[in-house]
Amino acid sequence: MSFADLLAIVGGMTVAFYLLKLTWRCWCGFREFVLSSKWQVDLRTYGQWAVVTGATSGIGKAYATELAQRGLDIVLISRCDNKLQAVAREIEGVYGRKTQTIPVDFTHGYSIYPAIAKKLQGLQIGILVNNVGMTTTDCFAYFLETPDAEQKITQVINCNILSVPQMTRLVLPDMVKRCPSTAFADALLCHQDFCNILLSVSPCRVQVKGNYCPDISQTPLIAPQCVAPFLVSTNMTKTVKVNSFMKSATAFAREALNTVGHSSCTTGCLSHAVQNAFLTILLPDRLRMSTFLIRKLRSSCKKNDWTGEKGE
């Protein structure tokens, strides 16, 4: 066998490998965004109640109403009691589901969780959507430009980071006791990837679904689904005009919930998946985090006057 023949074989195998990889990705995308709209997982099988933090506006409110529309009762957690009551009345009136409200400010840290635990006691919780989040500044800014940095950093950590394990800690034990031998558990983690450049600290959105399957050490098995959206039109993005690439919160929540059970890592909707594919090819990480692009995005954000409000 000549060297040219060997190169031809290697080249053919390489092409075949990448064609198979592309075919598999296309199938996964078709299943994730097309078939999922026809064969939705019945979320009621995980439990009667869904808990949503940051539930009075934006993606949090959209998740709460979409879950109610799919037959779950909703626990709404946010800082403004008046807004909570308004969302609760809307869900009860439109979808006929039961609601409970818990007014707390997640920037206050650990002290709020005993009160939340008391309110959640006795509820059959199947889904946790940890949506609450905030950004460090009212506009795009470098870390050293953060106003009142000492207080703001603590608030962001309490709201965006501490809320995730603490809320998960509150709901997991009852799920495990209720379903000691059932088949599966999902933890859905939603973060913003490319948006981290636009908004200096992005919120995390986490769902934890029962049921749970303990391993031989009786530890709950958690299979994470990472939901990494691009920009969604909410207060945090200054309610940017909805278009083919900028999803409304309602549309995003509906499509993202469709992917439950169909994907372990998703952008949440088809348009964001397309954006991700193009940006991965055209803007590799080194260029995406370059000083030049950061400055351009900073200038664009200032021009559009984007703010960083709490996702509550």
Side-chain angles (χ1 to χ4, degrees):
M1 180 183 296
S2 66
F3 183 67
D5 292 336
L6 181 61
L7 287 179
I9 292 173
V10 172
M13 292 177 64
T14 302
V15 171
F17 170 77
Y18 280 104
L19 284 175
L20 285 173
K21 188 176 181 180
L22 178 61
T23 301
W24 174 251
R25 288 186 175 181
C26 289
W27 160 248
C28 289
F30 180 76
R31 180 186 63 183
E32 182 179 339
F33 300 113
V34 179
L35 295 183
S36 66
S37 63
K38 304 297 182 182
W39 288 282
Q40 299 175 7
V41 174
D42 185 358
L43 301 179
R44 294 172 296 181
T45 60
Y46 299 115
Q48 178 186 355
W49 289 85
V51 178
V52 184
T53 66
T56 55
S57 66
I59 295 177
K61 180 181 178 182
Y63 265 90
T65 54
E66 183 65 26
L67 287 165
Q69 187 173 357
R70 298 189 187 203
L72 282 85
D73 299 326
I74 310 296
V75 178
L76 304 162
I77 308 178
S78 193
R79 57 179 172 153
C80 180
D81 189 44
N82 290 336
K83 291 182 179 179
L84 282 172
Q85 297 302 327
V87 176
R89 286 193 297 270
E90 179 182 341
I91 289 174
E92 292 171 358
V94 176
Y95 304 108
R97 305 308 308 178
K98 292 185 289 186
T99 63
Q100 289 196 24
T101 61
I102 306 176
V104 293
D105 190 337
F106 282 92
T107 64
H108 291 171
Y110 177 77
S111 62
I112 68 173
Y113 295 100
I116 296 176
K118 186 176 180 180
K119 291 286 186 109
L120 297 181
Q121 192 172 6
L123 298 181
Q124 190 184 72
I125 298 169
I127 297 178
L128 165 66
V129 183
N130 197 337
N131 162 79
V132 67
M134 62 183 294
T135 54
T136 54
T137 64
D138 291 337
C139 61
F140 188 96
Y142 292 113
F143 179 75
L144 294 179
E145 297 174 347
T146 303
D148 194 14
E150 182 177 1
Q151 179 181 8
K152 182 65 70 172
I153 290 169
T154 301
Q155 289 177 341
V156 169
I157 291 174
N158 286 339
C159 187
N160 294 10
I161 300 174
L162 183 63
S163 62
V164 176
Q166 288 290 358
M167 288 301 302
T168 304
R169 174 185 65 84
L170 296 182
V171 302
L172 285 182
D174 183 63
M175 290 181 175
V176 174
K177 291 177 182 177
R178 196 173 70 243
C179 313
S181 60
T182 45
F184 193 60
D186 273 352
L188 282 76
L189 168 63
C190 172
H191 64 276
Q192 297 191 9
D193 181 9
F194 189 67
C195 300
N196 280 336
I197 299 175
L198 304 179
L199 303 172
S200 43
V201 177
S202 75
C204 289
R205 186 166 300 100
V206 173
Q207 299 176 13
V208 178
K209 310 197 279 74
N211 301 327
Y212 283 79
C213 177
D215 60 17
I216 56 175
S217 64
Q218 298 301 305
T219 301
L221 177 63
I222 299 179
Q225 183 194 49
C226 178
V227 186
F230 280 66
L231 289 177
V232 177
S233 181
T234 66
N235 291 339
M236 193 173 286
T237 56
K238 202 62 176 181
T239 318
V240 180
K241 184 178 179 181
V242 175
N243 53 46
S244 299
F245 297 102
M246 176 73 69
K247 282 286 184 180
S248 68
T250 301
F252 175 78
R254 180 170 57 251
E255 292 191 40
L257 281 173
N258 285 345
T259 67
V260 173
H262 294 278
S263 174
S264 61
C265 185
T266 179
T267 56
C269 63
L270 180 59
S271 65
H272 288 184
V274 172
Q275 292 178 68
N276 181 62
F278 276 98
L279 285 172
T280 299
I281 296 171
L282 301 177
L283 283 178
D285 289 342
R286 182 175 298 180
L287 178 59
R288 193 180 303 181
M289 298 303 297
S290 67
T291 302
F292 171 78
L293 185 59
I294 292 294
R295 287 174 178 171
K296 288 293 185 182
L297 290 170
R298 175 184 169 90
S299 175
S300 176
C301 288
K302 284 185 175 181
K303 182 178 179 181
N304 287 281
D305 189 30
W306 283 6
T307 62
E309 303 174 15
K310 287 186 188 180
E312 296 186 68

